[in-house]
Amino acid sequence: AVRFVALYAGLVEPDAEIDFGEIPDGVYTGSARGFGGEITVEVTIADGKLTQVKVLSHSDTPGYYEPAMDRIPKSMVEEQKVDVDIVSGATASSNGIINAVRDALREFVGELEDVDITTLARGRYIGSASSYGGELTVEVSVAGGQITHITVLSHTDTKDIADPAFTALIEKIL
């Protein structure tokens, strides 16, 4: 979650461009924060190419979001890259779509660089990653340049084993 916030805020550079030829054919789903909340996309890879980016859901402001929804996915497919030019007047929505596509293809992207927490804006950020039993989603609260709270929102790991581990890890992170 913090990584996506840092990308959104321009505090870190995006990872190297994704090589679609290295990704197995399939349909991948990802989410990231837009202007008004979470944006969820569906990304289709076929024959080593990005063939479709479809916005499944969003809660961004009508009238502002549409130019980003129309242009960003189309540009990605035409240019065969994820990091396309954002749409003026719809910056947060544009970045939300771009980051949601990155989230959908995250298992095919290299290691993430460290994020300087002290440079992040105050707020609550949601992120997901693969865990032992499936997907794990957390909410991270940041204030005053520090992580102030971490909540595990959902997971499919064995509760009796995972919950004590989450408690211990969250204490250490905080």
Side-chain angles (χ1 to χ4, degrees):
V2 172
R3 169 73 177 149
F4 284 115
V5 170
L7 277 168
Y8 171 76
L11 300 172
V12 296
E13 292 298 315
D15 299 320
E17 193 57 47
I18 296 170
D19 182 357
F20 301 118
E22 298 292 319
I23 300 174
D25 288 357
V27 178
Y28 304 90
T29 305
S31 299
R33 180 154 177 80
F35 180 77
E38 190 164 292
I39 296 174
T40 301
V41 299
E42 182 178 87
V43 179
T44 304
I45 305 292
D47 298 321
K49 295 188 184 287
L50 173 65
T51 60
Q52 183 180 34
V53 175
K54 181 179 178 182
V55 177
L56 299 177
S57 65
H58 72 87
S59 52
D60 284 3
T61 307
Y64 292 93
Y65 174 78
E66 289 84 356
M69 184 173 69
D70 293 339
R71 287 191 235 160
I72 297 296
K74 182 179 176 186
S75 293
M76 288 178 172
V77 171
E78 288 175 355
E79 298 176 32
Q80 288 297 295
K81 65 181 191 175
V82 175
D83 293 315
V84 295
D85 290 337
I86 60 170
V87 177
S88 180
T91 302
S93 297
S94 297
N95 283 328
I97 295 168
I98 290 167
N99 289 332
V101 170
R102 285 194 162 284
D103 180 57
L105 303 175
R106 71 183 173 269
E107 68 184 283
F108 307 105
V109 179
E111 292 297 313
L112 300 176
E113 63 184 84
D114 288 335
V115 175
D116 182 359
I117 301 295
T118 63
T119 62
L120 292 179
R122 176 187 182 101
R124 294 184 328 198
Y125 307 100
I126 297 174
S128 298
S130 295
S131 66
Y132 181 76
E135 185 151 311
L136 167 76
T137 302
V138 298
E139 180 180 84
V140 178
S141 297
V142 176
Q146 296 181 343
I147 295 174
T148 58
H149 191 75
I150 300 171
T151 303
V152 176
L153 298 176
S154 65
H155 69 87
T156 54
D157 292 339
T158 305
K159 187 171 178 52
D160 294 341
I161 297 171
D163 287 350
F166 295 151
T167 300
L169 288 171
I170 289 170
E171 284 179 20
K172 285 191 180 271
I173 291 169
L174 295 175

